[in-house]
Amino acid sequence: MKMEWFRELFTIYTTTRIVQIRSKSLAITYVTLVALVWLAILKSYQMDLRKIYQQRCPAQGTFTSKVKGILSTEKYTDEELNITSPGQYRRLWDTQDLIVYGEEGFMIMTNIVITANQHQGICSSNNFKCTTNADCIKGTPDQSFDGILTGYCNTTGKCTVSAWCPTEEDILPLNGSIPLLRDTINFTALLKTSVEFPSCEDMILPGITHRQRYRRRNILNNFTLDYLKNCRYHPVHHPFCPIFILGDVVKWSGQDYDNVAITGGIFSIVVAWNCDFDWGLTIDDCLPMYKFMRLDAMESNEENLSPGFNWRSAVYFEGNRRTLTKYYGIYFVVKILGEGRKFDFLNLILTTGASIGLFSIAPLFCDCLFDLFCCLKSFKTCSPRFSSSFKKEIRYQDLLIAPLLKENPLEQNSFLEVPEIEELGKLTSGTGT
């Protein structure tokens, strides 16, 4: 018995019979579900059929940046600056004064507030108002954290603090109408990026000494030294030039440099690498694309609460003195994104199998709907609404004719129409099989 079962396992293939049922509702439902599955598959691949057979290789990269530029604020008069110690603001500024490099990008200063010759002592707080000494709780910091309250309220109606005196007056030069360091709009930034796609590289196998590498720089092989000195990025005329004018970056992000530079902001420079390594394409055909956008809050109510981007720094001198500077600036965050794609047989098999499996939803749903219709037909009130096609004997024909097929094995190779199946079902039920 076991040997017979084992033999039939490799010699007999069992499949279900296909029965055609004349029903507009089932036919329309089936076609609609198949169409929806097609649309879902195409939508999941974003109408790009290459994703069916290609392997995704996430991009991994790094960058270095170098900003160049110089400006002068010596042209402004005391009346125009309208600030305490205007002489501190008139000077020459270069990249060593204005640029701070970081791991994620670089910052450029666009506006400043200088509080010169501070020393530790007792002075009036700029923000903590009072009427009596009881309002100035000794030993607690004032509202702006300029110093520690001494417990005394002076004649100007402000608490005295132990702090670096004089305390900072947060008043922008030029009445805050334009940024003091506006000429940073013409500064240029060179971005050198390197990217690789390790997931697309060939596996290291014994005996194989050559391995195809997928590595690329944004400074292309056909660039010359003269071209790099003179080119400036433009999305149409110079889309691959790695040198950017900072004012243009802000402009292409949909912002006005003069407005942003007053209180600062945060912007991103995205270097996107989306590469296809099939159909004879190589890493040399992989080219970067640049995108720009503002990252910090741009809504007016949020900007009024905490506008822009700023930080403070102090330079210390002998005799317990220092100069405090509050910097407003633009922070440029550099991001390297993208992926490479390459033919992968395993991905093709898995994706194709998953897509085919989705199409089984349509017949499964229609079978359930057919059972529901057969059930409803058994009720007298619903029976006139359904045709004679809705009979469970039609769907479960194999259970009805199986005994007859066993008696006559030759019938297993025949193809039966629905009327013949119904007749076999009647014969089977009539014989009590």
Side-chain angles (χ1 to χ4, degrees), residues 41-59:
I41 292 175
L42 294 176
K43 179 65 176 178
S44 64
Y45 297 132
Q46 298 178 349
M47 307 300 290
D48 187 359
L49 296 181
R50 293 177 299 176
K51 296 181 180 180
I52 296 177
Y53 61 85
Q54 287 185 327
Q55 170 193 2
R56 297 178 58 187
C57 309

Side-chain angles (χ1 to χ4, degrees), residues 38-325:
W38 268 114
L39 291 176
I41 292 175
L42 294 176
K43 179 65 176 178
S44 64
Y45 297 132
Q46 298 178 349
M47 307 300 290
D48 187 359
L49 296 181
R50 293 177 299 176
K51 296 181 180 180
I52 296 177
Y53 61 85
Q54 287 185 327
Q55 170 193 2
R56 297 178 58 187
C57 309
Q60 298 179 7
T62 184
F63 77 94
T64 59
S65 58
K66 183 186 296 184
V67 181
K68 291 185 177 181
I70 191 169
L71 63 88
S72 174
T73 55
E74 297 172 332
K75 59 185 177 181
Y76 295 114
T77 64
D78 292 352
E79 292 75 16
E80 289 175 327
L81 291 171
N82 193 23
I83 200 77
T84 304
S85 303
Q88 298 283 340
Y89 293 84
R90 285 195 294 267
R91 50 169 289 189
L92 193 69
W93 307 82
D94 60 13
T95 53
Q96 284 69 33
D97 302 315
L98 302 177
I99 305 299
V100 178
Y101 294 98
E103 294 182 358
E104 297 183 349
F106 59 90
M107 295 172 284
I108 182 167
M109 305 168 194
T110 57
N111 216 351
I112 57 174
V113 174
I114 301 175
T115 307
N117 296 321
Q118 284 186 317
H119 63 278
Q120 291 189 9
I122 305 297
C123 53
S124 177
S125 172
N126 287 328
N127 302 304
F128 208 114
K129 297 181 180 180
C130 60
T131 55
T132 64
N133 291 339
D135 296 331
C136 307
I137 303 175
K138 185 177 181 180
T140 59
D142 71 341
Q143 294 174 344
S144 58
F145 297 96
D146 288 330
I148 304 298
L149 298 177
T150 61
Y152 295 99
C153 181
N154 61 22
T155 56
T156 62
K158 294 182 179 179
C159 294
T160 58
V161 292
S162 175
W164 286 93
C165 301
T167 56
E168 179 186 62
E169 293 184 3
D170 198 358
I171 301 175
L172 291 171
L174 302 173
N175 298 317
S177 58
I178 60 173
L180 177 70
L181 307 174
R182 183 193 178 279
D183 290 343
T184 53
I185 190 174
N186 297 317
F187 280 35
T188 60
L190 168 64
L191 293 183
K192 295 188 292 183
T193 65
S194 299
V195 68
E196 62 179 352
F197 306 90
S199 300
C200 281
E201 295 181 359
D202 300 330
M203 295 179 59
I204 300 179
L205 300 176
I208 298 180
T209 57
H210 176 71
R211 183 184 182 189
Q212 186 174 4
R213 316 293 289 189
Y214 291 94
R215 296 181 178 178
R216 183 71 157 158
R217 293 201 311 162
N218 68 330
I219 299 179
L220 306 183
N221 297 333
N222 59 347
F223 285 178
T224 62
L225 185 59
D226 290 338
Y227 177 78
L228 283 179
K229 286 181 178 180
N230 299 303
C231 79
R232 297 295 182 265
Y233 174 84
H234 189 277
V236 177
H237 304 297
H238 298 283
F240 305 117
C241 179
I243 301 177
F244 304 85
I245 299 176
L246 300 185
D248 290 341
V249 172
V250 174
K251 179 182 67 175
W252 290 321
S253 302
Q255 302 293 308
D256 180 73
Y257 192 90
D258 288 342
N259 293 333
V260 173
I262 294 175
T263 56
I266 303 176
F267 291 80
S268 71
I269 302 175
V270 178
V271 187
W273 298 83
N274 294 304
C275 307
D276 191 334
F277 302 125
D278 287 337
W279 309 106
L281 299 176
T282 65
I283 190 65
D284 293 332
D285 299 304
C286 184
L287 300 173
M289 293 182 62
Y290 300 97
K291 302 176 182 179
F292 315 96
M293 63 182 300
R294 185 172 182 177
L295 299 180
D296 60 326
M298 292 176 287
E299 299 296 333
S300 58
N301 59 335
E302 295 184 16
E303 286 193 345
N304 290 334
L305 294 176
S306 181
F309 176 75
N310 60 78
W311 69 100
R312 289 176 174 82
S313 179
V315 179
Y316 293 86
F317 306 96
E318 73 285 351
N320 196 27
R321 292 187 305 110
R322 75 174 189 182
T323 295
L324 177 66
T325 305

Side-chain angles (χ1 to χ4, degrees), residues 11-28:
T11 57
I12 298 176
Y13 170 71
T14 304
T15 183
T16 57
R17 295 181 183 273
I18 298 177
V19 180
Q20 292 184 346
I21 301 172
R22 295 187 178 277
S23 172
K24 292 182 179 179
S25 57
L26 289 179
I28 294 175

